[in-house]
Amino acid sequence: MILQAARRVVQSGGVATLTLDAVAQEAGVSKGGLLYHFPSKEKLIAGMIEDMLATFDDDLRAQAEADEPGQPAGAWVRAYARVTCAPDWQSLDVSADLLAAISTKRELLAPLRARYAEWQQQIEHDGIDPAIATLVRLAADGLWFADMFGLAPPSAALRARMLDTLIALTQEEPR
Protein backbone atom coordinates (compact mmCIF):
# COMPACT_ATOMS: atom_id res chain seq x y z
CA MET A 1 0.00 0.00 0.00
CA ILE A 2 2.74 2.49 0.93
CA LEU A 3 4.97 1.53 -2.00
CA GLN A 4 2.08 1.85 -4.43
CA ALA A 5 1.27 5.26 -2.95
CA ALA A 6 4.88 6.35 -3.46
CA ARG A 7 4.67 5.27 -7.10
CA ARG A 8 1.44 7.21 -7.58
CA VAL A 9 3.06 10.34 -6.10
CA VAL A 10 5.95 10.09 -8.57
CA GLN A 11 3.63 9.30 -11.47
CA SER A 12 1.34 12.23 -10.81
CA GLY A 13 3.81 14.93 -9.89
CA GLY A 14 7.28 13.73 -10.77
CA VAL A 15 10.20 12.73 -8.60
CA ALA A 16 10.45 16.19 -7.05
CA THR A 17 7.09 15.63 -5.34
CA LEU A 18 8.21 12.41 -3.64
CA THR A 19 8.20 13.46 0.00
CA LEU A 20 7.34 11.44 3.06
CA ASP A 21 4.41 13.78 3.75
CA ALA A 22 3.03 13.32 0.23
CA VAL A 23 3.38 9.55 0.38
CA ALA A 24 1.75 9.35 3.82
CA GLN A 25 -1.17 11.43 2.59
CA GLU A 26 -1.53 9.38 -0.60
CA ALA A 27 -1.37 6.11 1.37
CA GLY A 28 -3.85 7.34 3.96
CA VAL A 29 -1.47 6.74 6.86
CA SER A 30 0.08 9.06 9.41
CA LYS A 31 3.61 10.24 8.81
CA GLY A 32 4.59 8.33 11.96
CA GLY A 33 3.06 5.18 10.49
CA LEU A 34 5.04 5.70 7.30
CA LEU A 35 8.24 6.34 9.25
CA TYR A 36 7.72 3.10 11.18
CA HIS A 37 8.05 1.16 7.91
CA PHE A 38 10.38 3.52 6.02
CA PRO A 39 12.41 5.78 8.34
CA SER A 40 13.73 7.91 5.45
CA LYS A 41 13.03 8.81 1.85
CA GLU A 42 16.03 6.73 0.80
CA LYS A 43 14.63 3.69 2.66
CA LEU A 44 11.30 4.22 0.93
CA ILE A 45 12.93 4.31 -2.50
CA ALA A 46 15.04 1.27 -1.61
CA GLY A 47 11.79 -0.48 -0.70
CA MET A 48 10.30 0.49 -4.05
CA ILE A 49 13.30 -0.97 -5.87
CA GLU A 50 13.33 -4.18 -3.78
CA ASP A 51 9.60 -4.67 -4.37
CA MET A 52 10.06 -4.19 -8.11
CA LEU A 53 12.95 -6.69 -8.18
CA ALA A 54 11.04 -9.30 -6.16
CA THR A 55 8.02 -9.02 -8.45
CA PHE A 56 10.21 -9.25 -11.55
CA ASP A 57 12.02 -12.32 -10.17
CA ASP A 58 8.68 -14.00 -9.37
CA ASP A 59 7.45 -13.29 -12.90
CA LEU A 60 10.70 -14.66 -14.36
CA ARG A 61 10.44 -17.89 -12.40
CA ALA A 62 6.80 -18.40 -13.37
CA GLN A 63 7.51 -17.69 -17.04
CA ALA A 64 10.56 -20.01 -17.10
CA GLU A 65 8.52 -22.82 -15.50
CA ALA A 66 5.81 -22.32 -18.13
CA ASP A 67 8.30 -22.57 -21.01
CA GLU A 68 7.79 -25.07 -23.83
CA PRO A 69 8.23 -28.64 -22.58
CA GLY A 70 11.22 -30.38 -24.05
CA GLN A 71 13.19 -27.16 -24.58
CA PRO A 72 15.02 -26.62 -21.31
CA ALA A 73 17.96 -24.87 -22.99
CA GLY A 74 17.27 -21.15 -23.10
CA ALA A 75 14.11 -21.29 -20.97
CA TRP A 76 15.39 -18.63 -18.59
CA VAL A 77 16.51 -16.33 -21.42
CA ARG A 78 13.11 -16.67 -23.11
CA ALA A 79 11.42 -15.89 -19.79
CA TYR A 80 13.58 -12.79 -19.39
CA ALA A 81 12.66 -11.56 -22.88
CA ARG A 82 8.95 -12.26 -22.40
CA VAL A 83 8.69 -10.64 -18.98
CA THR A 84 10.83 -7.62 -19.90
CA CYS A 85 8.82 -7.01 -23.07
CA ALA A 86 5.41 -7.57 -21.44
CA PRO A 87 3.13 -4.55 -21.24
CA ASP A 88 2.95 -4.64 -17.45
CA TRP A 89 6.74 -4.27 -17.20
CA GLN A 90 6.68 -1.19 -19.37
CA SER A 91 4.45 0.58 -16.90
CA LEU A 92 5.11 3.79 -15.07
CA ASP A 93 5.39 1.86 -11.80
CA VAL A 94 8.83 0.58 -12.67
CA SER A 95 10.05 3.81 -14.21
CA ALA A 96 8.85 5.70 -11.15
CA ASP A 97 11.00 3.47 -8.94
CA LEU A 98 14.08 3.86 -11.09
CA LEU A 99 13.68 7.58 -11.65
CA ALA A 100 13.26 8.13 -7.93
CA ALA A 101 16.44 6.18 -7.22
CA ILE A 102 18.51 7.83 -9.93
CA SER A 103 17.47 11.33 -8.99
CA THR A 104 17.89 10.83 -5.25
CA LYS A 105 21.03 8.78 -4.77
CA ARG A 106 22.77 6.66 -7.34
CA GLU A 107 23.76 4.25 -4.55
CA LEU A 108 20.10 3.22 -4.41
CA LEU A 109 20.66 1.43 -7.71
CA ALA A 110 23.14 -0.99 -6.07
CA PRO A 111 20.51 -3.74 -5.58
CA LEU A 112 19.48 -3.37 -9.23
CA ARG A 113 23.09 -3.63 -10.37
CA ALA A 114 23.59 -6.72 -8.20
CA ARG A 115 20.43 -8.36 -9.54
CA TYR A 116 21.45 -7.63 -13.13
CA ALA A 117 24.78 -9.36 -12.41
CA GLU A 118 22.86 -12.41 -11.11
CA TRP A 119 20.54 -12.38 -14.13
CA GLN A 120 23.52 -12.15 -16.48
CA GLN A 121 25.12 -15.18 -14.81
CA GLN A 122 21.87 -17.09 -15.25
CA ILE A 123 21.67 -15.98 -18.88
CA GLU A 124 25.23 -17.08 -19.64
CA HIS A 125 24.58 -20.54 -18.17
CA ASP A 126 21.16 -21.25 -19.64
CA GLY A 127 22.29 -23.87 -22.13
CA ILE A 128 22.53 -21.70 -25.24
CA ASP A 129 25.34 -19.65 -26.72
CA PRO A 130 26.12 -16.96 -24.10
CA ALA A 131 26.59 -14.35 -26.85
CA ILE A 132 23.10 -14.99 -28.22
CA ALA A 133 21.62 -15.12 -24.73
CA THR A 134 23.24 -11.80 -23.80
CA LEU A 135 22.15 -10.25 -27.10
CA VAL A 136 18.55 -11.25 -26.31
CA ARG A 137 18.81 -9.70 -22.83
CA LEU A 138 20.27 -6.46 -24.13
CA ALA A 139 17.65 -6.20 -26.89
CA ALA A 140 14.84 -6.78 -24.36
CA ASP A 141 16.38 -4.21 -22.00
CA GLY A 142 16.70 -1.73 -24.86
CA LEU A 143 13.03 -2.12 -25.74
CA TRP A 144 12.08 -1.61 -22.10
CA PHE A 145 14.19 1.55 -21.82
CA ALA A 146 12.78 2.89 -25.10
CA ASP A 147 9.29 2.45 -23.68
CA MET A 148 10.14 3.80 -20.24
CA PHE A 149 11.67 7.00 -21.58
CA GLY A 150 9.52 7.36 -24.70
CA LEU A 151 12.51 6.94 -27.02
CA ALA A 152 10.62 6.08 -30.23
CA PRO A 153 9.16 2.80 -28.94
CA PRO A 154 7.97 0.44 -31.68
CA SER A 155 4.33 -0.17 -32.50
CA ALA A 156 2.53 -3.11 -30.90
CA ALA A 157 2.78 -5.12 -34.12
CA LEU A 158 6.50 -4.49 -34.49
CA ARG A 159 7.04 -5.23 -30.79
CA ALA A 160 5.35 -8.62 -31.20
CA ARG A 161 7.53 -9.44 -34.21
CA MET A 162 10.64 -8.37 -32.30
CA LEU A 163 9.77 -10.61 -29.35
CA ASP A 164 9.09 -13.53 -31.71
CA THR A 165 12.53 -12.94 -33.28
CA LEU A 166 14.24 -12.85 -29.88
CA ILE A 167 12.52 -16.08 -28.84
CA ALA A 168 13.50 -17.72 -32.14
CA LEU A 169 17.14 -16.79 -31.53
CA THR A 170 17.06 -18.77 -28.27
CA GLN A 171 15.77 -21.86 -30.06
CA GLU A 172 18.29 -22.05 -32.90
CA GLU A 173 21.01 -24.63 -32.96
CA PRO A 174 24.51 -23.23 -32.29
CA ARG A 175 26.46 -22.40 -35.43
Side-chain angles (χ1 to χ4, degrees):
M1 173 174 80
I2 292 173
L3 297 175
Q4 290 82 4
R7 289 183 183 112
R8 286 192 302 273
V9 168
V10 174
Q11 288 171 358
S12 66
V15 175
T17 64
L18 184 66
T19 65
L20 295 177
D21 287 327
V23 172
Q25 182 177 357
E26 179 68 27
V29 299
S30 68
K31 187 172 179 182
L34 174 69
L35 290 170
Y36 176 79
H37 296 286
F38 301 101
S40 69
K41 182 177 174 178
E42 288 77 21
K43 295 282 187 193
L44 175 63
I45 295 168
M48 293 167 72
I49 296 289
E50 256 328 298
D51 184 60
M52 175 196 71
L53 291 172
T55 301
F56 190 78
D57 276 341
D58 289 347
D59 290 353
L60 278 175
R61 268 189 294 284
Q63 187 65 237
E65 289 170 5
D67 197 58
E68 299 94 32
Q71 285 203 5
W76 205 90
V77 176
R78 287 188 291 279
Y80 187 92
R82 287 182 176 124
V83 172
T84 302
C85 296
D88 56 333
W89 277 105
Q90 296 149 18
S91 71
L92 290 175
D93 286 357
V94 176
S95 61
D97 297 348
L98 294 176
L99 290 174
I102 291 168
S103 68
T104 305
K105 281 190 170 181
R106 287 204 175 285
E107 303 86 56
L108 292 172
L109 290 177
L112 185 64
R113 289 182 180 117
R115 199 70 57 95
Y116 262 95
E118 292 170 17
W119 294 334
Q120 183 61 32
Q121 285 298 309
Q122 182 75 31
I123 283 167
E124 289 178 17
H125 298 93
D126 199 29
I128 63 174
D129 180 342
I132 290 174
T134 300
L135 180 66
V136 170
R137 178 188 73 89
L138 293 173
D141 288 347
L143 179 59
W144 183 65
F145 283 113
D147 288 332
M148 185 169 59
F149 293 113
L151 304 173
S155 67
L158 182 54
R159 171 187 310 283
R161 286 183 50 214
M162 291 169 61
L163 181 57
D164 288 345
T165 302
L166 292 175
I167 298 303
L169 283 173
T170 70
Q171 297 167 330
E172 291 182 5
E173 292 295 320
R175 298 174 203 196

